[in-house]
Amino acid sequence: MIKMRKILGTALCALLLISAPAPAFAAAVPTSDGERPALRGIDVSQWQGDIDFNKVAAAGVEVVYIQSGAGSDYTDANFQANDTKAREAGLKIGFYHYVTAQTAGEAAAQAEFFYSLIRDKTADCRPAVDFEQFGDLSREEINQIASVFSARLEQLIGYAPAFYSDAYNAENIWDARLSRYPLWIADYSATRPESSGPWDTWSGFQYSDTGAIPGISGDVDLDYFRGSIFVDGLLPPDVSGGSGNNSGDGNSGGQGTKTFRYTVQRGDTLWDIAVRYGTTVAELVSLNHIENPRLIYPGQILLVPTRGDSGTGQSGSGAGNGNAGGSNSPEDQTPAFVTVRSGDTLWAIARRYGTTVNALVSLNHIKTPSLIYPGQVLLLPKGTAPGGNLSGSTHYRRYLIRSGDTLSAIARRFGITVKTLAQLNHISDPDLIYAGRTLIIPD
């Protein structure tokens, strides 16, 4: 990612390069857990200078992650040029942002700045969070800042971003709060990542920071990317003669599979849904007879296989009583978060959302229950209605505000009042909403 070149090492590096060529792409491409090979990729910033992306593409690179900026006000000098040229060369594109936040409030602001840089761009890959310089922060503070940034970015883009980390931090720093975000891991010592910490697997693998690629002067990071790094959760069609949509492990639903019905929300992908409910893209494709796994739409009803011993069988219309034991109830269709406001206490939040202080403490790894602060993002227990004072049996959908929307127009569209929308989403000024924000709307 961002590299601080050391002048003292230049002479030594020059001598070493005489006898040791810079790494290019490895001969054996890691496979996606039984799927077809991962795609070759690079990640770039202004440090790579002027890039000839046509030569890069001709060298076999298929994916490029481009730095957008850093912190809350810095834009990479080559951001726009790299985006334009890479797109013209036919490469798959993603963006990453270097996080410098030292507080939760700064994290939220930096996520919003990142979004402002990329919201008008077309990305193939999930925006990536790059937080690797921690200063004197404690482990809890580091995880809280990363969680706030990631959650705020997810609210803005409508789906889970990717999370970049080196292998050491994945093992020793990050906790389970971050594991819901697809992992892009850096490990330069192995042909496959040695450790993924709280993550079960990886979506991106940066295996060298001294790569040599035609079209780029000097070193560049080399990567492999799996289908889960893409916004739609799938690798691009295999033009080398592969089988196209066969992207899973062959586990079909089977006639005896117990299922429940899930309503696709705006921003959902099959990969997101599969991860959320512990299944696979291939199983969802087979169970729902989906011809094009890239094409699902808001309002579409999918059958999702149950996991564990919830024993609910098929849940019919999905409107059920909402008290099933596992993660199959309609209230669990989207992760629920709450942003701590001035004057909040865990006890007040627990009462507001119909849960307990102990549940919030356990779920969010809070060491001191009496110490929470404005801007902190808390995960709510599954099955919790994100509307606070609304009935726990109410079902919710997400709505992504578009350019030209007003709160009154959205309220009319869904048959509710502006006051309800404002209270539900903690909007202090109903006349001030912005494109890209995700609203919670009761069905």
Side-chain angles (χ1 to χ4, degrees), residues 114-164:
F114 182 21
Y115 175 70
S116 75
L117 294 176
I118 65 173
R119 64 183 174 188
D120 295 325
K121 303 289 186 184
T122 300
D124 304 285
C125 304
R126 299 168 185 270
V129 180
D130 178 15
F131 185 29
E132 50 186 293
Q133 298 294 326
F134 311 131
D136 296 327
L137 294 170
S138 68
R139 184 170 182 262
E140 171 59 29
E141 290 171 330
I142 293 168
N143 277 273
Q144 180 61 28
I145 288 169
S147 298
V148 168
F149 187 104
S150 301
R152 181 64 182 132
L153 182 58
E154 182 176 13
Q155 289 175 338
L156 292 168
I157 63 178
Y159 54 89
F163 191 83
Y164 173 86

Side-chain angles (χ1 to χ4, degrees), residues 155-345:
Q155 289 175 338
L156 292 168
I157 63 178
Y159 54 89
F163 191 83
Y164 173 86
S165 173
D166 62 38
Y168 176 85
N169 287 340
E171 176 69 21
N172 297 286
I173 298 295
W174 306 120
D175 62 31
R177 280 175 286 184
L178 281 308
S179 64
R180 61 181 302 270
Y181 301 107
L183 175 66
W184 177 10
I185 190 167
D187 190 344
Y188 307 148
S189 63
T191 57
R192 297 179 72 89
E194 293 293 335
S195 173
S196 296
W199 286 269
D200 293 329
T201 187
W202 54 270
S203 298
F205 172 31
Q206 184 187 90
Y207 65 92
S208 174
D209 63 349
T210 57
I213 296 293
I216 299 178
S217 299
D219 295 340
V220 65
D221 295 337
L222 302 180
D223 306 272
Y224 292 119
F225 293 109
R226 291 173 166 171
S228 49
I229 203 73
F230 289 90
V231 173
D232 61 8
L234 297 166
L235 288 171
D238 188 354
V239 297
S240 62
S243 56
N245 291 337
N246 294 332
S247 59
D249 58 10
N251 294 332
S252 62
Q255 294 186 359
T257 301
K258 294 182 178 180
T259 62
F260 67 97
R261 300 209 303 178
Y262 174 80
T263 303
V264 175
Q265 308 295 305
R266 184 177 178 86
D268 272 345
T269 68
L270 282 185
W271 186 87
D272 285 324
I273 298 169
V275 169
R276 191 179 307 154
Y277 294 106
T279 183
T280 66
V281 170
E283 193 165 15
L284 291 175
V285 166
S286 174
L287 197 58
N288 292 278
H289 309 290
I290 296 174
E291 295 183 1
N292 184 354
R294 300 173 187 281
L295 185 60
I296 60 175
Y297 51 89
Q300 183 177 356
I301 304 296
L302 298 180
L303 293 179
V304 178
T306 62
R307 290 290 182 265
D309 57 359
S310 58
T312 57
Q314 294 197 10
S315 60
S317 65
N321 56 20
N323 59 5
S327 61
N328 301 330
S329 61
E331 291 84 356
D332 295 331
Q333 291 180 352
T334 58
F337 296 90
V338 60
T339 302
V340 177
R341 294 172 290 176
S342 179
D344 270 344
T345 65

Side-chain angles (χ1 to χ4, degrees), residues 379-401:
L379 184 64
L380 297 173
K382 291 181 177 180
T384 301
N389 58 357
L390 296 180
S391 169
S393 62
T394 302
H395 306 154
Y396 297 87
R397 71 177 71 194
R398 293 184 299 175
Y399 177 79
L400 190 68
I401 299 174

